[in-house]
Amino acid sequence: MSTFMANKANIERKWYILDAAGKPLGKTAVRAADLLRGKGKVTYTPHADCGDNVIIINAAKAVLTGKKGDQKFYRHHSGWVGGLKETPYRILMQEKPELAMKVAVKGMMPNNVITKDSLKRLHIYADANYEQQAQKPVVLE
């Protein structure tokens, strides 16, 4: 018996919906990262991109537990001297909830080329409306 190795020819991708309403931001991000990598599949191969497509809806209704809304910051740098910008997560969740969720999911995945390809299969929406009805995604609890 030989060991199964996943590659582009034998990967079957499914579509899943995660509802973030009323759930912690991090818990939803962990679930999305595992689905994007394919960790729940029997055919999981660490060096191959064998994950599924993920749709996260109601990202604006995700909650931050404790004092993270005021104590946690989203930081990015322009590359110029003094170009560090900081935004508290409370404000980021109000203005750009999709970005907050994407940053959380990206932070829970390894830093490699597979992650870059996997994040292209992540679709995040602030409300319950999404565009991928034709793919017939499965709703996960």
Side-chain angles (χ1 to χ4, degrees):
M1 173 167 278
S2 62
T3 304
F4 177 81
M5 298 299 270
N7 58 28
K8 288 185 179 183
N10 57 16
I11 293 174
E12 182 179 329
R13 299 194 195 280
K14 295 182 182 176
W15 286 81
Y16 294 105
I17 294 178
L18 295 176
D19 190 1
K23 296 177 185 164
L25 177 75
K27 299 264 184 185
T28 307
V30 166
R31 188 73 193 265
D34 286 346
L35 289 170
L36 287 171
R37 290 195 65 202
K39 298 274 299 222
K41 292 184 175 183
V42 180
T43 58
Y44 171 69
T45 307
H47 66 278
D49 186 10
C50 55
D52 296 316
N53 298 291
V54 178
I55 303 166
I56 300 176
I57 58 173
N58 294 323
K61 296 178 184 174
V63 296
L64 294 171
T65 58
K67 297 180 182 178
K68 291 187 190 97
D70 296 320
Q71 292 180 353
K72 187 176 175 80
F73 289 92
Y74 169 67
R75 295 178 174 96
H76 63 280
H77 201 283
S78 67
W80 294 86
V81 176
L84 180 66
K85 307 287 187 208
E86 291 183 340
T87 306
Y89 257 75
R90 179 179 46 81
I91 296 171
L92 186 65
M93 288 296 290
Q94 292 170 358
E95 295 176 358
K96 299 178 184 177
E98 297 94 349
L99 177 64
M101 186 66 74
K102 185 173 182 178
V103 168
V105 172
K106 185 179 178 184
M108 294 180 187
M109 296 184 74
N111 295 326
N112 56 24
V113 177
I114 296 174
T115 296
K116 184 178 131 187
D117 295 337
S118 297
L119 287 176
K120 291 177 185 174
R121 294 191 314 274
L122 177 65
H123 308 277
I124 304 171
Y125 298 97
D127 55 358
N129 300 326
Y130 60 95
E131 301 171 355
Q132 289 84 7
Q133 282 91 2
Q135 282 73 28
K136 297 182 181 128
V138 177
V139 178
L140 293 178
E141 295 298 323

